[in-house]
Amino acid sequence: MNKDDLILRTKDFAHRCVKLAVSLPTSYLGNHIKGQLIRCGTSVAANYRAACIAHSKAAFTAKLSIVIEEADESEFWMQFIIDENLKPIQLVEPLLKEANELASIFIISRKTAQRK
């Protein structure tokens, strides 16, 4: 998977996070999770784009670290949605899997960049 593929994949992830978030119930908890999931889900895509134009290896690995943290936080909120029965597990699981896969990809990318 190359840089352009990952730019598209993270952007698609962001869109899917937004769609899940806006489908949550309008309640105190639902509204809180909406904001959190939209913030961290879109941050994955935005920070990966920033990593791609980083001016140094240190800046690149720092941005990848943010991407990893935001993907992990997205996972947390999706798990919370499932735990609180706000959405059926079958609806959330594919996006949860994507968050995990993206985090894994970027962890490996960061390790590779740090070795070079």
Side-chain angles (χ1 to χ4, degrees):
M1 182 158 286
N2 66 32
K3 174 185 85 165
D4 293 331
D5 293 334
L6 282 170
I7 286 174
L8 291 174
R9 188 169 172 180
T10 56
K11 185 177 176 186
D12 180 63
F13 176 76
H15 283 293
R16 291 171 64 196
C17 285
V18 169
K19 287 178 180 146
L20 174 60
V22 298
S23 76
L24 292 172
T26 303
S27 64
Y28 185 78
L29 178 60
N31 290 338
H32 175 71
I33 295 171
K34 279 179 198 181
Q36 294 294 328
L37 184 56
I38 288 171
R39 186 197 55 75
C40 59
T42 57
S43 181
V44 170
N47 280 291
Y48 180 64
R49 288 177 62 101
C52 290
I53 60 167
H55 296 297
S56 67
K57 186 170 89 168
F60 177 76
T61 57
K63 283 295 181 184
L64 280 188
S65 294
I66 295 169
V67 173
I68 294 162
E69 289 172 12
E70 298 294 350
D72 182 67
E73 184 177 341
S74 298
E75 283 186 70
F76 169 80
W77 290 114
M78 287 178 233
Q79 290 168 344
F80 206 84
I81 290 167
I82 293 167
D83 293 345
E84 290 294 321
N85 297 309
L86 297 176
K87 286 290 174 185
I89 191 169
Q90 312 87 276
L91 186 99
V92 181
E93 260 184 344
L95 189 54
L96 184 60
K97 181 178 181 239
E98 179 68 352
N100 184 270
E101 287 179 13
L102 286 171
S104 297
I105 289 167
F106 292 120
I107 287 168
I108 292 166
S109 297
R110 183 178 61 186
K111 285 179 183 176
T112 300
Q114 289 171 329
R115 277 194 305 253
K116 290 184 178 179

